[in-house]
Amino acid sequence: MNTVAEKKPRLTTSAMIASIAAEGQRVQAAPFGKALVEYAADRPEIVGLTADLAKYTDLHLFQKAYPERFFQMGMAEQLLMAAAGGMAKEGLVPFATTYAVFATRRAYDFIHQVIAEENLNVKICCALPGLTTGYGPSHQATEDLAMMRAIPGLTIVDPCDALDLEQAVPQIAAHQGPVYMRLARGNVPLVLDEYDYKFELGKAKEIRDGNDVLIISSGFMTMRALEVAKALEADNVSVGVLHCPTIKPFDEATVVEQVSKKNRLVVVAENHSVIGGLGEIVATTLMRHRVQPAGFQMAGLPDAFLDAGALPTLHDRYGISCEVLSRRIREWLK
């Protein structure tokens, strides 16, 4: 059931905001947890594990539905990944949840050696990716994609909204091999249902066409890109949006096709450091295929430890809010 985000004042203080939903925006509650419960109904091999964060990754819904298939590992992320790997060796399909910073920074070696090297069927689903929390560098996973991209054989997914998430769950479950998926939890914005969109693992999708600018994006920055496209219509600027929910393996063919078909400014928008993320993937792809757009810019997070504070304030500060990104694109078009 879709609802509307509660109205809240725009904060400029250090108060923390956990939701990325704008005032009055349509949202869907716990799409990951609900989709996993539905998918696992007639698949007893699906199990859920977490490191003391069931409520904060929406895995508590799975715990309630299938208590005998739920495993609380405590605040021990390395143990979480090792146990998930062991279960996968026995034929189970573990969904392991925690925060992105804890999976990548604390348990990287266990994901690399225990899970990925043996190509085990573990699905790692991590909340608070990039700048989706105001709690500062200890909780802001601004480099998770760069780290995980370096692991051979690991599929990486960065969904945009509730629809993307609920459609991604059965596909990553059916995929043979390890997966790292960025996770939005709680009241998740719902935007892609307005665009006849369907998630397809490994594929980039054109959400809207445009003649002047092409925004290539992933995660919630695709939602921002669509907001920017509407905002720039007032300036008679036509903006296309290409959503890349699968970071690895990357859909180079679609990106090359989209950039080649029109002479446009290309802007890569990502909720991740400009080091090692989507921007560098797109730039490398275009160079390899000898495709030169009218211009190329990266709108990502800086190579820095970010501040703590309210998310609207931080998104403005680091250039990924609709207002600031729209202004930046206007400047780039001059």
Side-chain angles (χ1 to χ4, degrees), residues 20 31-32 57-58 126-129 160-161 165 182-186 188-189:
I20 60 172
F32 166 74
T57 58
D58 293 337
C126 294
L128 301 188
C160 167
D161 70 343
L165 265 175
R182 285 176 138 197
L183 181 62
R185 53 44 178 316
V188 179

Side-chain angles (χ1 to χ4, degrees), residues 161-182:
D161 70 343
L163 178 65
D164 228 8
L165 265 175
E166 68 180 12
Q167 292 185 355
V169 166
Q171 293 191 38
I172 68 170
H175 172 75
Q176 293 301 305
V179 176
Y180 175 78
M181 184 170 76
R182 285 176 138 197

Side-chain angles (χ1 to χ4, degrees), residues 89-167:
K89 279 194 168 184
E90 296 302 313
L92 299 174
V93 181
F95 274 73
T97 74
T98 182
Y99 289 164
V101 286
F102 301 151
T104 57
R105 296 184 202 159
R106 291 185 183 177
Y108 187 85
D109 190 47
F110 285 74
I111 295 172
H112 189 286
Q113 294 297 112
V114 175
I115 295 173
E117 186 178 10
E118 299 196 42
N119 196 39
L120 297 179
N121 210 15
V122 177
K123 318 305 171 182
I124 304 164
C125 302
C126 294
L128 301 188
L131 188 52
T132 52
T133 174
Y135 281 103
S138 66
H139 283 61
Q140 292 163 350
T142 59
E143 66 289 281
D144 62 324
L145 297 181
M147 295 176 68
M148 303 307 265
R149 279 181 60 212
I151 299 180
L154 182 65
T155 293
I156 301 174
V157 180
D158 188 15
C160 167
D161 70 343
L163 178 65
D164 228 8
L165 265 175
E166 68 180 12
Q167 292 185 355

